[in-house]
Amino acid sequence: NVPTGLGIEEIGAIGPMVTLHPNPAATDITVSIDAPAMISIVDISGREILSPTTVNSSFLIPHSSLTPGTYFVRVVNSAGSTVKKLIVR
């Protein structure tokens, strides 16, 4: 069996399960995680927007605190780390 796709196949989930809602966002954003973790946010240039913050299960990001653009939400806990792309309109 020869792979024919150009994507990356997810072999197994490593790191915390993270959801961002809504995404793209034009309102406040809820970050939901499956276990306590540290959350940080950086913009597309790598500038830290939110310093690492401890979160138990969910975290609200006020839409007014972010200018329109692309951000990366990094979530780290004992299971590993996950990075999600967030688009703010």
Short mmCIF file of all heavy atoms in Angstrom, two decimals, residues 1-53:
data_model
loop_
_atom_site.label_atom_id
_atom_site.label_comp_id
_atom_site.label_asym_id
_atom_site.label_seq_id
_atom_site.Cartn_x
_atom_site.Cartn_y
_atom_site.Cartn_z
N ASN A 1 0.85 -1.18 0.00
CA ASN A 1 0.00 0.00 0.00
C ASN A 1 0.89 1.24 0.00
O ASN A 1 1.62 1.50 0.95
CB ASN A 1 -0.90 -0.04 1.23
CG ASN A 1 -2.00 1.00 1.18
OD1 ASN A 1 -2.19 1.64 0.14
ND2 ASN A 1 -2.72 1.16 2.26
N VAL A 2 0.83 2.00 -1.07
CA VAL A 2 1.67 3.19 -1.21
C VAL A 2 0.82 4.43 -0.97
O VAL A 2 -0.22 4.61 -1.59
CB VAL A 2 2.28 3.25 -2.64
CG1 VAL A 2 3.09 4.51 -2.83
CG2 VAL A 2 3.12 2.01 -2.90
N PRO A 3 1.26 5.31 -0.05
CA PRO A 3 0.50 6.54 0.18
C PRO A 3 0.53 7.43 -1.07
O PRO A 3 1.56 7.55 -1.71
CB PRO A 3 1.23 7.22 1.33
CG PRO A 3 2.36 6.35 1.72
CD PRO A 3 2.42 5.19 0.79
N THR A 4 -0.61 8.01 -1.40
CA THR A 4 -0.68 8.87 -2.57
C THR A 4 -1.02 10.30 -2.23
O THR A 4 -0.99 11.16 -3.09
CB THR A 4 -1.73 8.34 -3.56
OG1 THR A 4 -2.99 8.30 -2.88
CG2 THR A 4 -1.37 6.97 -4.07
N GLY A 5 -1.35 10.59 -0.97
CA GLY A 5 -1.72 11.95 -0.58
C GLY A 5 -0.51 12.79 -0.26
O GLY A 5 0.60 12.32 -0.11
N LEU A 6 -0.74 14.08 -0.17
CA LEU A 6 0.33 15.01 0.15
C LEU A 6 0.21 15.56 1.56
O LEU A 6 0.97 16.41 1.96
CB LEU A 6 0.32 16.17 -0.85
CG LEU A 6 0.58 15.77 -2.30
CD1 LEU A 6 0.44 16.99 -3.20
CD2 LEU A 6 1.95 15.17 -2.45
N GLY A 7 -0.77 15.09 2.34
CA GLY A 7 -0.99 15.60 3.69
C GLY A 7 -0.20 14.83 4.72
O GLY A 7 0.56 13.91 4.42
N ILE A 8 -0.38 15.22 5.95
CA ILE A 8 0.25 14.53 7.07
C ILE A 8 -0.82 13.72 7.77
O ILE A 8 -1.82 14.27 8.22
CB ILE A 8 0.89 15.54 8.04
CG1 ILE A 8 1.98 16.33 7.34
CG2 ILE A 8 1.44 14.82 9.27
CD1 ILE A 8 2.54 17.46 8.15
N GLU A 9 -0.59 12.43 7.88
CA GLU A 9 -1.55 11.56 8.54
C GLU A 9 -1.33 11.61 10.04
O GLU A 9 -0.19 11.51 10.50
CB GLU A 9 -1.37 10.13 8.03
CG GLU A 9 -2.38 9.17 8.60
CD GLU A 9 -2.20 7.78 8.02
OE1 GLU A 9 -1.71 7.66 6.89
OE2 GLU A 9 -2.55 6.82 8.72
N GLU A 10 -2.40 11.77 10.79
CA GLU A 10 -2.29 11.79 12.25
C GLU A 10 -2.27 10.35 12.74
O GLU A 10 -3.24 9.62 12.61
CB GLU A 10 -3.47 12.54 12.86
CG GLU A 10 -3.35 12.72 14.34
CD GLU A 10 -4.43 13.61 14.91
OE1 GLU A 10 -4.98 14.45 14.20
OE2 GLU A 10 -4.73 13.41 16.09
N ILE A 11 -1.15 9.94 13.30
CA ILE A 11 -0.98 8.57 13.74
C ILE A 11 -1.61 8.37 15.11
O ILE A 11 -2.27 7.39 15.37
CB ILE A 11 0.51 8.19 13.76
CG1 ILE A 11 1.04 8.22 12.34
CG2 ILE A 11 0.73 6.84 14.40
CD1 ILE A 11 2.51 8.06 12.21
N GLY A 12 -1.42 9.29 15.99
CA GLY A 12 -1.98 9.18 17.33
C GLY A 12 -1.97 10.55 17.98
O GLY A 12 -1.08 11.34 17.73
N ALA A 13 -2.96 10.82 18.76
CA ALA A 13 -3.04 12.12 19.42
C ALA A 13 -2.00 12.20 20.52
O ALA A 13 -1.92 11.33 21.38
CB ALA A 13 -4.44 12.33 19.99
N ILE A 14 -1.16 13.22 20.45
CA ILE A 14 -0.17 13.48 21.48
C ILE A 14 -0.41 14.90 21.96
O ILE A 14 -0.45 15.82 21.17
CB ILE A 14 1.27 13.34 20.94
CG1 ILE A 14 1.49 11.92 20.44
CG2 ILE A 14 2.28 13.72 21.98
CD1 ILE A 14 2.81 11.71 19.77
N GLY A 15 -0.57 15.05 23.27
CA GLY A 15 -0.82 16.38 23.81
C GLY A 15 -2.28 16.55 24.14
O GLY A 15 -3.11 15.68 23.89
N PRO A 16 -2.58 17.69 24.73
CA PRO A 16 -3.96 17.95 25.16
C PRO A 16 -4.91 18.13 23.99
O PRO A 16 -4.52 18.60 22.92
CB PRO A 16 -3.83 19.23 25.99
CG PRO A 16 -2.56 19.86 25.54
CD PRO A 16 -1.68 18.76 25.05
N MET A 17 -6.16 17.74 24.19
CA MET A 17 -7.21 17.99 23.19
C MET A 17 -7.67 19.44 23.38
O MET A 17 -8.01 19.83 24.50
CB MET A 17 -8.37 17.03 23.39
CG MET A 17 -8.01 15.57 23.18
SD MET A 17 -7.49 15.21 21.49
CE MET A 17 -8.98 15.52 20.61
N VAL A 18 -7.67 20.21 22.30
CA VAL A 18 -7.98 21.63 22.37
C VAL A 18 -9.01 21.98 21.30
O VAL A 18 -8.89 21.54 20.16
CB VAL A 18 -6.70 22.47 22.11
CG1 VAL A 18 -7.01 23.96 22.16
CG2 VAL A 18 -5.61 22.10 23.08
N THR A 19 -10.01 22.78 21.68
CA THR A 19 -10.94 23.33 20.70
C THR A 19 -11.00 24.84 20.88
O THR A 19 -10.94 25.35 22.00
CB THR A 19 -12.36 22.74 20.83
OG1 THR A 19 -12.85 22.97 22.14
CG2 THR A 19 -12.38 21.25 20.54
N LEU A 20 -11.09 25.54 19.76
CA LEU A 20 -11.25 27.00 19.74
C LEU A 20 -12.59 27.28 19.08
O LEU A 20 -12.85 26.78 17.99
CB LEU A 20 -10.14 27.66 18.91
CG LEU A 20 -8.70 27.37 19.31
CD1 LEU A 20 -7.75 28.01 18.30
CD2 LEU A 20 -8.42 27.88 20.69
N HIS A 21 -13.41 28.07 19.74
CA HIS A 21 -14.73 28.35 19.17
C HIS A 21 -15.11 29.79 19.43
O HIS A 21 -14.99 30.23 20.57
CB HIS A 21 -15.77 27.42 19.79
CG HIS A 21 -17.13 27.62 19.20
ND1 HIS A 21 -17.46 27.16 17.95
CD2 HIS A 21 -18.22 28.25 19.67
CE1 HIS A 21 -18.71 27.49 17.70
NE2 HIS A 21 -19.18 28.16 18.73
N PRO A 22 -15.55 30.56 18.48
CA PRO A 22 -15.56 30.26 17.04
C PRO A 22 -14.17 30.47 16.44
O PRO A 22 -13.35 31.18 17.01
CB PRO A 22 -16.54 31.29 16.49
CG PRO A 22 -16.42 32.46 17.41
CD PRO A 22 -16.12 31.86 18.77
N ASN A 23 -13.96 29.89 15.31
CA ASN A 23 -12.71 30.06 14.58
C ASN A 23 -12.97 29.86 13.10
O ASN A 23 -13.29 28.75 12.71
CB ASN A 23 -11.67 29.06 15.07
CG ASN A 23 -10.28 29.35 14.56
OD1 ASN A 23 -10.01 30.42 14.05
ND2 ASN A 23 -9.41 28.37 14.68
N PRO A 24 -12.92 30.90 12.30
CA PRO A 24 -12.51 32.28 12.53
C PRO A 24 -13.45 32.98 13.52
O PRO A 24 -14.61 32.63 13.63
CB PRO A 24 -12.56 32.94 11.18
CG PRO A 24 -12.84 31.88 10.18
CD PRO A 24 -13.26 30.67 10.92
N ALA A 25 -12.89 33.98 14.22
CA ALA A 25 -13.62 34.63 15.29
C ALA A 25 -13.90 36.10 15.00
O ALA A 25 -13.01 36.84 14.61
CB ALA A 25 -12.83 34.52 16.59
N ALA A 26 -15.15 36.48 15.23
CA ALA A 26 -15.54 37.88 15.17
C ALA A 26 -16.17 38.27 16.51
O ALA A 26 -16.68 39.37 16.67
CB ALA A 26 -16.52 38.11 14.03
N THR A 27 -16.16 37.32 17.46
CA THR A 27 -16.67 37.53 18.82
C THR A 27 -15.65 36.93 19.79
O THR A 27 -14.62 36.41 19.37
CB THR A 27 -18.03 36.84 19.02
OG1 THR A 27 -17.87 35.42 18.83
CG2 THR A 27 -19.08 37.36 18.04
N ASP A 28 -15.96 36.97 21.09
CA ASP A 28 -15.06 36.38 22.08
C ASP A 28 -14.80 34.91 21.75
O ASP A 28 -15.68 34.21 21.24
CB ASP A 28 -15.66 36.49 23.48
CG ASP A 28 -15.73 37.93 23.97
OD1 ASP A 28 -15.12 38.82 23.34
OD2 ASP A 28 -16.40 38.16 24.98
N ILE A 29 -13.60 34.45 22.06
CA ILE A 29 -13.18 33.10 21.71
C ILE A 29 -13.08 32.25 22.98
O ILE A 29 -12.49 32.68 23.97
CB ILE A 29 -11.80 33.11 21.02
CG1 ILE A 29 -11.84 33.99 19.78
CG2 ILE A 29 -11.34 31.71 20.66
CD1 ILE A 29 -11.08 35.26 19.92
N THR A 30 -13.65 31.05 22.94
CA THR A 30 -13.53 30.11 24.04
C THR A 30 -12.52 29.04 23.67
O THR A 30 -12.64 28.40 22.62
CB THR A 30 -14.89 29.45 24.36
OG1 THR A 30 -15.83 30.47 24.71
CG2 THR A 30 -14.77 28.46 25.50
N VAL A 31 -11.53 28.86 24.54
CA VAL A 31 -10.56 27.78 24.39
C VAL A 31 -10.96 26.71 25.39
O VAL A 31 -11.03 26.97 26.58
CB VAL A 31 -9.12 28.27 24.71
CG1 VAL A 31 -8.13 27.13 24.55
CG2 VAL A 31 -8.75 29.46 23.84
N SER A 32 -11.27 25.52 24.90
CA SER A 32 -11.64 24.40 25.77
C SER A 32 -10.55 23.34 25.70
O SER A 32 -10.08 23.00 24.62
CB SER A 32 -12.97 23.79 25.34
OG SER A 32 -14.00 24.75 25.42
N ILE A 33 -10.18 22.81 26.88
CA ILE A 33 -9.14 21.78 26.95
C ILE A 33 -9.63 20.62 27.79
O ILE A 33 -10.54 20.77 28.60
CB ILE A 33 -7.83 22.36 27.52
CG1 ILE A 33 -8.05 23.01 28.90
CG2 ILE A 33 -7.21 23.34 26.56
CD1 ILE A 33 -6.81 23.52 29.57
N ASP A 34 -9.03 19.45 27.59
CA ASP A 34 -9.49 18.25 28.28
C ASP A 34 -8.83 18.02 29.63
O ASP A 34 -9.25 17.15 30.39
CB ASP A 34 -9.29 17.02 27.39
CG ASP A 34 -7.83 16.74 27.08
OD1 ASP A 34 -6.99 17.64 27.27
OD2 ASP A 34 -7.53 15.62 26.63
N ALA A 35 -7.80 18.79 29.97
CA ALA A 35 -7.11 18.65 31.25
C ALA A 35 -6.39 19.96 31.56
O ALA A 35 -6.12 20.73 30.65
CB ALA A 35 -6.11 17.50 31.18
N PRO A 36 -6.09 20.23 32.82
CA PRO A 36 -5.38 21.47 33.16
C PRO A 36 -4.11 21.63 32.31
O PRO A 36 -3.41 20.66 32.03
CB PRO A 36 -5.04 21.29 34.63
CG PRO A 36 -6.10 20.38 35.15
CD PRO A 36 -6.37 19.43 34.02
N ALA A 37 -3.85 22.88 31.91
CA ALA A 37 -2.72 23.14 31.02
C ALA A 37 -2.31 24.60 31.10
O ALA A 37 -3.04 25.43 31.65
CB ALA A 37 -3.09 22.77 29.59
N MET A 38 -1.18 24.91 30.49
CA MET A 38 -0.71 26.28 30.32
C MET A 38 -1.05 26.70 28.90
O MET A 38 -0.78 25.97 27.95
CB MET A 38 0.81 26.37 30.52
CG MET A 38 1.28 26.01 31.91
SD MET A 38 0.83 27.22 33.14
CE MET A 38 1.94 28.53 32.73
N ILE A 39 -1.65 27.89 28.77
CA ILE A 39 -2.03 28.41 27.45
C ILE A 39 -1.24 29.69 27.19
O ILE A 39 -1.12 30.54 28.08
CB ILE A 39 -3.54 28.72 27.39
CG1 ILE A 39 -4.33 27.42 27.46
CG2 ILE A 39 -3.89 29.48 26.13
CD1 ILE A 39 -5.84 27.64 27.43
N SER A 40 -0.71 29.82 25.98
CA SER A 40 -0.08 31.07 25.56
C SER A 40 -0.51 31.35 24.12
O SER A 40 -0.91 30.44 23.39
CB SER A 40 1.45 30.99 25.66
OG SER A 40 1.95 29.95 24.87
N ILE A 41 -0.45 32.62 23.74
CA ILE A 41 -0.86 33.02 22.39
C ILE A 41 0.23 33.88 21.80
O ILE A 41 0.74 34.80 22.45
CB ILE A 41 -2.18 33.82 22.42
CG1 ILE A 41 -3.30 32.98 23.03
CG2 ILE A 41 -2.56 34.28 21.01
CD1 ILE A 41 -4.59 33.74 23.23
N VAL A 42 0.60 33.57 20.54
CA VAL A 42 1.56 34.39 19.80
C VAL A 42 0.93 34.80 18.48
O VAL A 42 0.06 34.11 17.95
CB VAL A 42 2.90 33.67 19.56
CG1 VAL A 42 3.60 33.37 20.85
CG2 VAL A 42 2.72 32.42 18.74
N ASP A 43 1.38 35.95 17.95
CA ASP A 43 0.88 36.37 16.64
C ASP A 43 1.74 35.75 15.55
O ASP A 43 2.69 35.01 15.83
CB ASP A 43 0.78 37.89 16.54
CG ASP A 43 2.11 38.61 16.59
OD1 ASP A 43 3.17 37.95 16.46
OD2 ASP A 43 2.11 39.85 16.76
N ILE A 44 1.41 36.06 14.32
CA ILE A 44 2.09 35.44 13.17
C ILE A 44 3.58 35.77 13.13
O ILE A 44 4.38 35.00 12.60
CB ILE A 44 1.37 35.82 11.85
CG1 ILE A 44 1.83 34.93 10.70
CG2 ILE A 44 1.59 37.26 11.50
CD1 ILE A 44 0.92 33.79 10.46
N SER A 45 3.98 36.89 13.74
CA SER A 45 5.40 37.26 13.75
C SER A 45 6.15 36.65 14.92
O SER A 45 7.36 36.84 15.06
CB SER A 45 5.55 38.79 13.77
OG SER A 45 5.11 39.30 15.00
N GLY A 46 5.44 35.91 15.81
CA GLY A 46 6.07 35.28 16.95
C GLY A 46 6.03 36.11 18.22
O GLY A 46 6.55 35.69 19.25
N ARG A 47 5.40 37.28 18.16
CA ARG A 47 5.29 38.14 19.34
C ARG A 47 4.28 37.56 20.31
O ARG A 47 3.16 37.21 19.93
CB ARG A 47 4.85 39.55 18.91
CG ARG A 47 4.80 40.56 20.04
CD ARG A 47 4.54 41.95 19.50
NE ARG A 47 3.33 41.99 18.69
CZ ARG A 47 2.19 42.53 19.08
NH1 ARG A 47 2.08 43.11 20.24
NH2 ARG A 47 1.14 42.52 18.27
N GLU A 48 4.67 37.46 21.59
CA GLU A 48 3.78 36.88 22.59
C GLU A 48 2.66 37.86 22.93
O GLU A 48 2.90 39.00 23.30
CB GLU A 48 4.57 36.54 23.85
CG GLU A 48 3.78 35.75 24.86
CD GLU A 48 4.64 35.25 26.00
OE1 GLU A 48 5.06 36.09 26.81
OE2 GLU A 48 4.87 34.04 26.05
N ILE A 49 1.41 37.40 22.76
CA ILE A 49 0.22 38.22 23.02
C ILE A 49 -0.33 37.91 24.40
O ILE A 49 -0.78 38.79 25.10
CB ILE A 49 -0.86 37.94 21.94
CG1 ILE A 49 -0.31 38.19 20.55
CG2 ILE A 49 -2.12 38.74 22.21
CD1 ILE A 49 0.20 39.60 20.29
N LEU A 50 -0.27 36.65 24.79
CA LEU A 50 -0.73 36.21 26.11
C LEU A 50 0.37 35.35 26.71
O LEU A 50 0.76 34.33 26.15
CB LEU A 50 -2.02 35.39 26.01
CG LEU A 50 -2.50 34.74 27.31
CD1 LEU A 50 -3.00 35.81 28.28
CD2 LEU A 50 -3.61 33.74 27.04
N SER A 51 0.90 35.80 27.86
CA SER A 51 1.91 35.02 28.57
C SER A 51 1.30 33.71 29.03
O SER A 51 0.08 33.63 29.21
CB SER A 51 2.41 35.80 29.78
OG SER A 51 3.00 37.01 29.37
N PRO A 52 2.13 32.69 29.24
CA PRO A 52 1.58 31.42 29.70
C PRO A 52 0.68 31.59 30.93
O PRO A 52 1.05 32.23 31.90
CB PRO A 52 2.83 30.60 30.03
CG PRO A 52 3.87 31.15 29.12
CD PRO A 52 3.57 32.63 29.05
N THR A 53 -0.52 31.06 30.81
CA THR A 53 -1.54 31.17 31.84
C THR A 53 -2.08 29.78 32.14
O THR A 53 -2.37 29.02 31.22
CB THR A 53 -2.69 32.07 31.34
OG1 THR A 53 -2.15 33.34 30.97
CG2 THR A 53 -3.77 32.24 32.36
#
